[in-house]
Structure formats: structure tokens, C-alpha cells
Amino acid sequence: MAYSLKKLISSFLLVLYSTTIIVASSESRCRRFKSIISFGDSIADTGNYLHLSDVNHLPQTAFFPYGESFFHPPSGRASDGRLIIDFIAEFLGLPYVPPYFGSQNVSFEQGINFAVYGATALDRAYFVAKGIESDFTNVSLSVQLDIFKQILPNLCASSSRDCKEMLGDSLILMGEIGGNDFFYPSSEGKSIDETKLQDLIIKAISSAIVDLIALGAKTILVPGGFPAGCSAACLTQYQNTAEEDYDPLTGCIPRLNELGERDNEQLKTELKRLQKLYPDVNIIYADYHNSLYRFYQEPAKYGFKNRPLAACCGVGGQYNFTIGKECGSEGVSYCQNPSEYVNWDGYHLTEAAYQKMAEGILNGPYATPAFDWSCLGSGSVDKEYSFSS
């Protein structure tokens, strides 16, 4: 009897312990983020490239109509207004994340953004060795991460909180990055081994994630790539493609999108591997591809014009896009209703598209695993309030 009672108590404690572990693990996924730390390219750049540019040769994002829907004047963002990172900040009740370059007082409280327009996942030396001369920016992912590591001790020194704890309370946005690595060789007509290049890109992103985890990161949001076959720039570049090579429903080029989806699958596989290695870290895949592609499939459903492939800001051709006469250049006009457009300047999206993408990532279903907002209370995640225009 005593043995049976002891066995029963042991079994009960084992069940209780197991349940506690499961609940704790579940609860740990919900965090009250106190800042956002961002790495990437123009999809997340809130002004870094603008501050890095020669004042006598400012980028197009420094000129009207960039920013005309929200920031007034242009902030260096490659859109008519806010980006996905801005909507994430609004959703979390945090400040818009300032660019690292050009900022006077960098702090965890304000958030830090290292993303730079034109940045690559691989270092510039790789492209130089391949004879690729594009020099849009040399602030690659590893350069961005190295800068963060260098300033981290000073960031933490000004606070009484532990450095790892501060990073653990931050949402890390790792990308989108890697698209420019393919774009530069393609724009110069250089032949590359796309499979090998993608392997290197995945390795670079994975390495950056591991470094951030070692520093204390607990939640990392890693976006995949966009459906390139639907961008006005790519559609213009491949406009001699045979009619049967276009999707009759969307007008996009399926083979380009399929290549992107293949790369995204490879990224997801690597993220799953990392998640197993670091079970106490929440590594979330953001499905930028499908969260955007639905707008091309059913534009009216989401408030966009039918056949929404043309750029809002641009000139010429079927897609209102001409290389060398891009948005921000003299004489290039823009639409009066950008909220009805998906594409902004041929390469980037409108604020309206970014807003709906952000909602689909934060509230589902375009994040894997889904964000857990249970610890914030229902009022903090109200969709209408959080994503109001």
C-alpha cells in the first residue's frame, strides 16, 4: 500500500512537472518586447542609405514623392510611407526604429536599425572576386552585425539591466536580405551558379542568427523573399517572355516565383534546424512571398486595383517602369491614389501593401510559428486599432 501510494505520488509529480514545463515553454514564447533591432536591405531601411550618401549625390528616396503618404518630407524609406518594420513598431507600441547611421543618441529604448538600401547577405569581396562591379553599398549583413557588436557594450553600459536581458527583450528583424545578391549579377548579365549562391546566402543568414543568439537574442523574425515574378522591374526586364509563360490569373512570371519559393523553402529548412539546436529561442519565419502574392491573386478583395502589377510611381511601358527613369527622378510622375496600388516604384511596395502584409504576419497566418500575444492582453492586439491608417 505504501509502495503504491508512493508510486501514485511520484506519477502525479511527474505529470505535474511535465505540465509545468510545457506551460512554461508556451508562456516563454510571448514577450513584451521593449525594442526592435533590425538588419537587412531596402525593405527595412528607415534612412540609413540616405545618411550614408554623399549630400551632392543623394538617392532617389531623398526626393518627393517618396514618403508623401505619411512622413512628409521623404525619410529615406523606399515607399510612399511606412514599411513593415514601422507597422510592427506601431503594433508593439514602440517608437519608429531610427536608422543607426545619422542617429545622435542610439539606444535600446529607441530601437536600432542597421538595414541599408541595396545591402547584400554576402560581403562585397565575394562579388568583386566574381567580376561583378555593382557597388550600390558595401554594408553587407556581416558588416551590419559587426557594427552592432562593436556598439553593444556602450549600449548596455548606460543601463542597469543585463546586456543579454536587454537583447532578449528585443524583437530581432533579420532581413529581408539576399535578393540583391541575385539582382547585381543579373543586372550585369553575369552567369552565376544560383544554387551555390543561395547556399552561401542561407549560410550567411544562419551565421548571423547564431551570433545574435550567443549575444542573448530570444526572438528572431526571419522573412523570406518576395515573389520577384510580380515586380514591375522584373516584368519589364523579362517582357519578351512568351505569352504562355505568364500566369493568366495574375500576369506574373511563375518560373521566377518558383525559384523564389524554392529558396524560401531552403531558408525554412535551415530555420527548423536552428530551432532544434536552440529550443529556448523563438525563431519565426515570416512568409513575405505568400502574404504579398495574395494581392496579385485577388486585388479587389484587399482594396487594390485589378491587375495591380504597374508601379504607382514611374513612367513608360506596360508596367509604368523604365530603367534609368525611376521614381524620384525629374519628370517622373506618380499616381494620386497609392493606397490602391501594390507596387510603388517598380522594386518596392506601397505603404498600403506593407500595412496588410504586417497585419498578416503579426496576427497570422503568415508567420511560422505564429506570434503568441497572450501575455499582452486582448486590447494590445486589437487588429483594427493596431493597423489603423
Side-chain angles (χ1 to χ4, degrees):
M1 179 67 180
Y3 173 76
S4 298
L5 182 60
K6 184 177 180 180
K7 186 175 181 180
L8 180 63
I9 292 172
S10 297
S11 299
F12 174 75
L13 289 175
L14 180 61
V15 171
L16 180 63
Y17 177 74
S18 299
T19 304
T20 302
I21 291 297
I22 292 170
V23 171
S25 175
S26 176
E27 288 181 348
S28 68
R29 296 302 186 190
C30 183
R31 288 185 173 272
R32 295 178 179 272
F33 297 111
K34 296 180 180 178
S35 67
I36 298 172
I37 312 296
S38 172
F39 305 87
D41 58 23
S42 59
I43 306 304
D45 185 353
T46 54
N48 278 311
Y49 188 65
L50 174 58
H51 289 290
L52 287 169
S53 300
D54 185 332
V55 293
N56 296 314
H57 297 89
L58 293 174
Q60 288 157 290
T61 54
F63 302 102
F64 187 83
Y66 283 94
E68 65 92 18
S69 294
F70 189 80
F71 288 101
H72 322 289
S75 63
R77 289 167 172 80
S79 181
D80 62 307
R82 291 162 288 184
L83 310 177
I84 290 174
I85 185 175
D86 296 312
F87 288 110
I88 291 175
E90 287 185 7
F91 183 88
L92 297 174
L94 297 172
Y96 293 128
V97 187
Y100 167 73
F101 298 100
S103 294
Q104 300 299 317
N105 299 305
V106 181
S107 68
F108 266 104
E109 290 72 22
Q110 189 72 22
I112 316 166
N113 189 0
F114 298 94
V116 179
Y117 193 122
T120 52
L122 304 183
D123 292 338
R124 182 171 177 270
Y126 170 84
F127 299 101
V128 171
K130 298 290 183 181
I132 298 162
E133 299 175 358
S134 293
D135 191 22
F136 207 74
T137 176
N138 61 358
V139 189
S140 64
L141 179 57
S142 69
V143 172
Q144 295 175 29
L145 187 59
D146 285 344
I147 294 171
F148 178 57
K149 289 177 181 177
Q150 290 169 18
I151 68 170
L152 189 58
N154 289 334
L155 287 173
C156 300
S158 60
S159 174
S160 59
R161 297 171 63 216
D162 176 76
C163 201
K164 284 199 170 187
E165 180 187 351
M166 292 171 73
L167 198 55
D169 286 337
S170 300
L171 175 63
I172 309 297
L173 182 57
M174 178 55 66
E176 187 271 343
I177 196 162
N180 290 319
D181 297 67
F182 287 100
F183 174 74
Y184 291 144
S186 174
S187 65
E188 294 187 13
K190 298 291 176 66
S191 177
I192 57 170
D193 184 335
E194 292 188 354
T195 301
K196 184 177 180 180
L197 179 58
Q198 181 61 17
D199 288 343
L200 292 172
I201 291 170
I202 297 292
K203 184 177 180 180
I205 295 172
S206 179
S207 177
I209 291 171
V210 170
D211 282 356
L212 287 163
I213 291 173
L215 294 171
K218 289 294 183 183
T219 309
I220 305 174
L221 180 63
V222 188
F226 286 177
C230 301
S231 78
C234 283
L235 286 165
T236 299
Q237 182 179 352
Y238 292 95
Q239 60 186 339
N240 293 325
T241 300
E243 185 176 345
E244 60 268 22
D245 291 334
Y246 290 90
D247 183 337
L249 174 63
T250 64
C252 302
I253 302 175
R255 66 181 179 85
L256 294 180
N257 290 340
E258 288 163 7
L259 287 172
E261 286 186 286
R262 181 203 65 190
D263 295 341
N264 288 337
E265 286 299 321
Q266 188 177 344
L267 176 60
K268 285 193 282 186
T269 298
E270 177 61 13
L271 296 183
K272 289 177 183 177
R273 186 187 74 84
L274 291 176
Q275 187 67 81
K276 289 180 181 179
L277 289 175
Y278 304 98
D280 60 329
V281 177
N282 197 13
I283 303 173
I284 303 170
Y285 174 73
D287 187 357
Y288 278 13
H289 183 103
N290 287 305
S291 65
L292 171 57
Y293 191 64
R294 59 191 166 132
F295 305 155
Y296 299 114
Q297 293 175 308
E298 300 179 278
K301 178 180 178 180
Y302 299 100
F304 299 115
K305 296 177 69 171
N306 287 329
R307 306 290 286 185
L309 297 174
C312 165
C313 182
V315 63
Q318 182 179 352
Y319 305 103
N320 199 38
F321 177 84
T322 304
I323 295 175
K325 295 181 180 179
E326 286 108 338
C327 184
S329 301
E330 187 175 351
V332 175
S333 61
Y334 73 101
C335 63
Q336 296 302 307
N337 50 345
S339 64
E340 295 182 2
Y341 282 72
V342 176
N343 287 322
W344 166 245
D345 60 6
Y347 302 104
H348 308 95
L349 308 181
T350 60
E351 177 183 87
Y354 284 136
Q355 181 177 3
K356 291 176 174 64
M357 286 179 66
E359 182 176 353
I361 290 157
L362 292 167
N363 284 325
Y366 298 104
T368 307
F371 277 98
D372 177 4
W373 304 118
S374 59
C375 64
L376 303 184
S378 59
S380 299
V381 294
D382 179 77
K383 294 183 182 181
E384 184 177 354
Y385 175 79
S386 298
F387 294 95
S388 59
S389 297

Coordinates of all heavy atoms in Angstrom, one line a residue, residues 19-33 165 167-171 216-220 275 278-284 369-376:
T19 N 3.7 19.0 -17.1 CA 2.8 20.0 -17.5 C 3.3 21.4 -17.3 O 3.2 22.3 -18.1 CB 1.5 19.9 -16.6 OG1 0.9 18.6 -16.8 CG2 0.4 20.9 -17.1
T20 N 4.1 21.6 -16.1 CA 4.7 22.8 -15.8 C 5.7 23.2 -16.9 O 5.7 24.4 -17.3 CB 5.4 22.8 -14.5 OG1 4.4 22.4 -13.5 CG2 6.0 24.2 -14.1
I21 N 6.5 22.2 -17.3 CA 7.5 22.5 -18.4 C 6.8 23.0 -19.7 O 7.2 23.9 -20.3 CB 8.3 21.2 -18.6 CG1 9.2 20.9 -17.4 CG2 9.2 21.4 -19.9 CD1 10.2 22.0 -17.1
I22 N 5.7 22.3 -20.0 CA 5.0 22.6 -21.3 C 4.4 24.0 -21.2 O 4.6 24.8 -22.1 CB 3.9 21.6 -21.6 CG1 4.5 20.2 -21.9 CG2 3.0 22.0 -22.7 CD1 3.5 19.1 -21.9
V23 N 3.8 24.3 -20.1 CA 3.2 25.6 -19.9 C 4.3 26.7 -19.9 O 4.1 27.7 -20.6 CB 2.4 25.7 -18.6 CG1 1.9 27.1 -18.3 CG2 1.2 24.8 -18.7
A24 N 5.4 26.5 -19.2 CA 6.4 27.5 -19.2 C 7.0 27.7 -20.5 O 7.3 28.8 -20.9 CB 7.5 27.0 -18.2
S25 N 7.2 26.6 -21.3 CA 7.7 26.7 -22.7 C 6.8 27.6 -23.5 O 7.2 28.4 -24.3 CB 7.9 25.4 -23.3 OG 8.3 25.5 -24.6
S26 N 5.4 27.3 -23.4 CA 4.4 28.0 -24.1 C 4.4 29.5 -23.7 O 4.4 30.4 -24.6 CB 3.1 27.4 -23.9 OG 2.1 28.2 -24.6
E27 N 4.5 29.8 -22.4 CA 4.4 31.2 -22.0 C 5.6 32.0 -22.4 O 5.6 33.1 -22.7 CB 4.3 31.2 -20.5 CG 2.9 30.8 -20.0 CD 2.7 30.8 -18.5 OE1 3.8 31.0 -17.8 OE2 1.6 30.7 -18.0
S28 N 6.8 31.3 -22.5 CA 8.0 32.0 -22.8 C 8.0 32.5 -24.2 O 8.8 33.4 -24.5 CB 9.2 31.0 -22.6 OG 9.2 30.0 -23.6
R29 N 7.1 32.0 -25.1 CA 7.0 32.5 -26.4 C 6.4 33.9 -26.5 O 6.5 34.6 -27.5 CB 6.2 31.5 -27.3 CG 6.8 30.1 -27.4 CD 8.2 30.2 -28.0 NE 8.8 28.9 -28.3 CZ 10.0 28.6 -28.7 NH1 10.9 29.7 -28.8 NH2 10.4 27.4 -28.9
C30 N 5.6 34.3 -25.5 CA 5.0 35.6 -25.5 C 5.9 36.5 -24.8 O 6.2 36.3 -23.6 CB 3.6 35.5 -24.9 SG 2.8 37.1 -24.9
R31 N 6.3 37.6 -25.4 CA 7.2 38.6 -24.8 C 6.7 40.0 -25.0 O 6.1 40.3 -26.0 CB 8.6 38.5 -25.4 CG 9.4 37.3 -25.0 CD 10.8 37.3 -25.6 NE 11.6 36.2 -25.0 CZ 12.3 36.2 -23.9 NH1 12.3 37.3 -23.2 NH2 12.9 35.2 -23.4
R32 N 6.9 40.8 -24.0 CA 6.6 42.2 -24.0 C 7.8 42.9 -24.6 O 8.7 43.3 -23.8 CB 6.2 42.7 -22.7 CG 4.9 42.1 -22.1 CD 4.6 42.7 -20.7 NE 3.4 42.1 -20.2 CZ 2.1 42.6 -20.4 NH1 2.0 43.7 -21.2 NH2 1.1 42.0 -19.9
F33 N 7.9 43.0 -25.9 CA 9.2 43.5 -26.5 C 9.3 45.0 -26.1 O 8.4 45.8 -26.2 CB 9.1 43.4 -28.0 CG 9.0 41.9 -28.5 CD1 7.8 41.4 -29.1 CD2 10.1 41.1 -28.4 CE1 7.8 40.1 -29.5 CE2 10.0 39.8 -28.8 CZ 8.9 39.3 -29.4
E165 N 19.8 40.3 -21.2 CA 18.4 40.5 -20.9 C 17.8 41.6 -21.8 O 16.7 41.4 -22.3 CB 18.3 41.0 -19.4 CG 16.8 41.2 -19.0 CD 16.7 41.8 -17.6 OE1 17.7 41.9 -16.9 OE2 15.6 42.3 -17.3
L167 N 18.8 42.4 -24.8 CA 18.7 41.8 -26.2 C 17.5 40.8 -26.2 O 16.8 40.6 -27.2 CB 20.0 41.2 -26.6 CG 20.2 40.9 -28.1 CD1 20.0 42.2 -28.9 CD2 21.5 40.3 -28.4
G168 N 17.4 40.1 -25.1 CA 16.3 39.1 -25.0 C 14.9 39.7 -25.0 O 13.9 39.1 -25.5
D169 N 14.8 41.0 -24.6 CA 13.6 41.7 -24.6 C 13.3 42.4 -26.0 O 12.4 43.2 -26.1 CB 13.5 42.7 -23.5 CG 13.3 42.0 -22.1 OD1 12.8 40.9 -22.1 OD2 13.7 42.6 -21.1
S170 N 14.2 42.2 -26.9 CA 14.1 42.9 -28.2 C 13.6 41.9 -29.3 O 13.9 40.7 -29.2 CB 15.5 43.4 -28.6 OG 16.0 44.4 -27.7
L171 N 12.8 42.4 -30.2 CA 12.4 41.7 -31.4 C 13.5 41.9 -32.4 O 13.7 43.1 -32.8 CB 11.1 42.1 -31.9 CG 10.6 41.5 -33.2 CD1 10.5 39.9 -33.1 CD2 9.3 42.1 -33.7
G216 N 22.4 36.9 -26.8 CA 21.2 37.0 -25.9 C 19.9 37.1 -26.6 O 18.9 37.1 -25.9
A217 N 19.8 37.1 -27.9 CA 18.6 37.2 -28.6 C 17.7 36.0 -28.3 O 18.1 34.9 -28.2 CB 18.8 37.3 -30.1
K218 N 16.4 36.3 -28.1 CA 15.4 35.3 -27.7 C 14.3 35.2 -28.8 O 13.6 34.1 -28.8 CB 14.8 35.6 -26.4 CG 15.7 35.3 -25.2 CD 16.1 33.9 -25.1 CE 17.0 33.6 -23.9 NZ 17.4 32.2 -23.8
T219 N 14.0 36.2 -29.5 CA 13.0 36.2 -30.6 C 13.5 36.8 -31.9 O 13.9 38.0 -31.9 CB 11.7 36.9 -30.1 OG1 11.3 36.5 -28.9 CG2 10.6 36.7 -31.1
I220 N 13.6 36.0 -32.9 CA 14.2 36.5 -34.2 C 13.2 36.2 -35.3 O 12.7 35.1 -35.5 CB 15.5 35.7 -34.5 CG1 16.5 35.9 -33.3 CG2 16.1 36.3 -35.8 CD1 17.8 35.1 -33.5
Q275 N 16.2 26.0 -34.9 CA 15.2 25.9 -33.8 C 15.4 24.7 -32.9 O 15.3 24.7 -31.7 CB 13.8 25.9 -34.3 CG 12.7 26.0 -33.3 CD 12.7 27.3 -32.6 OE1 12.2 28.3 -33.1 NE2 13.3 27.4 -31.4
Y278 N 18.5 25.4 -30.7 CA 18.2 26.4 -29.7 C 16.7 26.5 -29.3 O 16.0 27.4 -29.7 CB 18.7 27.8 -30.3 CG 20.1 27.8 -30.7 CD1 20.4 27.7 -32.1 CD2 21.2 28.0 -29.8 CE1 21.8 27.7 -32.5 CE2 22.5 28.0 -30.2 CZ 22.8 27.9 -31.6 OH 24.1 27.9 -32.0
P279 N 16.3 25.5 -28.6 CA 14.8 25.4 -28.3 C 14.3 26.5 -27.5 O 13.1 26.7 -27.4 CB 14.7 24.0 -27.6 CG 16.1 23.7 -27.1 CD 17.0 24.3 -28.1
D280 N 15.2 27.2 -26.7 CA 14.7 28.2 -25.9 C 14.6 29.6 -26.6 O 14.3 30.6 -26.0 CB 15.7 28.4 -24.7 CG 17.1 28.7 -25.1 OD1 17.5 28.3 -26.1 OD2 17.8 29.4 -24.3
V281 N 14.9 29.6 -27.9 CA 14.9 30.8 -28.7 C 13.7 30.6 -29.7 O 13.5 29.5 -30.3 CB 16.2 31.0 -29.5 CG1 16.1 32.2 -30.4 CG2 17.3 31.2 -28.5
N282 N 12.9 31.7 -29.9 CA 11.8 31.6 -30.8 C 12.3 32.2 -32.2 O 12.4 33.4 -32.3 CB 10.6 32.5 -30.3 CG 9.3 32.1 -30.9 OD1 9.2 31.1 -31.7 ND2 8.3 33.0 -30.7
I283 N 12.5 31.3 -33.1 CA 12.9 31.7 -34.5 C 11.7 31.6 -35.4 O 11.1 30.5 -35.6 CB 14.0 30.8 -35.0 CG1 15.2 30.8 -34.0 CG2 14.5 31.2 -36.4 CD1 16.3 29.8 -34.3
I284 N 11.2 32.7 -35.9 CA 9.9 32.8 -36.6 C 10.2 33.1 -38.1 O 10.9 34.1 -38.4 CB 9.0 33.9 -36.0 CG1 8.8 33.6 -34.5 CG2 7.7 34.0 -36.7 CD1 8.1 34.8 -33.8
P369 N 6.6 29.7 -36.4 CA 5.3 29.6 -35.7 C 4.7 31.0 -35.5 O 5.3 32.0 -35.6 CB 5.7 29.0 -34.3 CG 7.1 29.5 -34.1 CD 7.8 29.5 -35.4
A370 N 3.4 30.9 -35.2 CA 2.6 32.2 -35.1 C 3.1 32.9 -33.8 O 3.5 32.3 -32.9 CB 1.1 31.9 -35.0
F371 N 3.0 34.2 -33.9 CA 3.3 35.0 -32.7 C 2.3 34.7 -31.6 O 1.1 34.5 -31.9 CB 3.2 36.5 -33.0 CG 4.5 37.1 -33.6 CD1 4.6 37.3 -35.0 CD2 5.6 37.4 -32.8 CE1 5.7 37.8 -35.6 CE2 6.7 38.0 -33.4 CZ 6.8 38.1 -34.8
D372 N 2.8 34.6 -30.3 CA 1.9 34.5 -29.2 C 1.8 35.8 -28.5 O 2.8 36.3 -27.9 CB 2.5 33.4 -28.3 CG 1.7 33.2 -27.0 OD1 0.6 33.8 -26.9 OD2 2.2 32.4 -26.1
W373 N 0.6 36.4 -28.5 CA 0.4 37.7 -27.9 C -0.4 37.6 -26.6 O -0.9 38.6 -26.1 CB -0.3 38.7 -28.8 CG 0.4 38.9 -30.1 CD1 -0.1 38.6 -31.4 CD2 1.7 39.4 -30.3 NE1 0.9 38.9 -32.3 CE2 2.0 39.4 -31.7 CE3 2.7 39.9 -29.5 CZ2 3.2 39.9 -32.3 CZ3 3.9 40.4 -30.0 CH2 4.1 40.4 -31.4
S374 N -0.6 36.4 -26.1 CA -1.5 36.1 -24.9 C -1.1 36.9 -23.7 O -2.0 37.3 -22.9 CB -1.5 34.6 -24.6 OG -0.2 34.2 -24.3
C375 N 0.2 37.2 -23.5 CA 0.6 37.9 -22.3 C 0.4 39.4 -22.4 O 0.6 40.1 -21.4 CB 2.1 37.6 -22.0 SG 3.2 38.2 -23.2
L376 N 0.0 39.9 -23.5 CA -0.2 41.3 -23.7 C -1.6 41.8 -23.4 O -1.8 43.0 -23.2 CB 0.2 41.7 -25.2 CG 1.6 41.3 -25.6 CD1 1.8 41.9 -27.0 CD2 2.7 41.9 -24.7

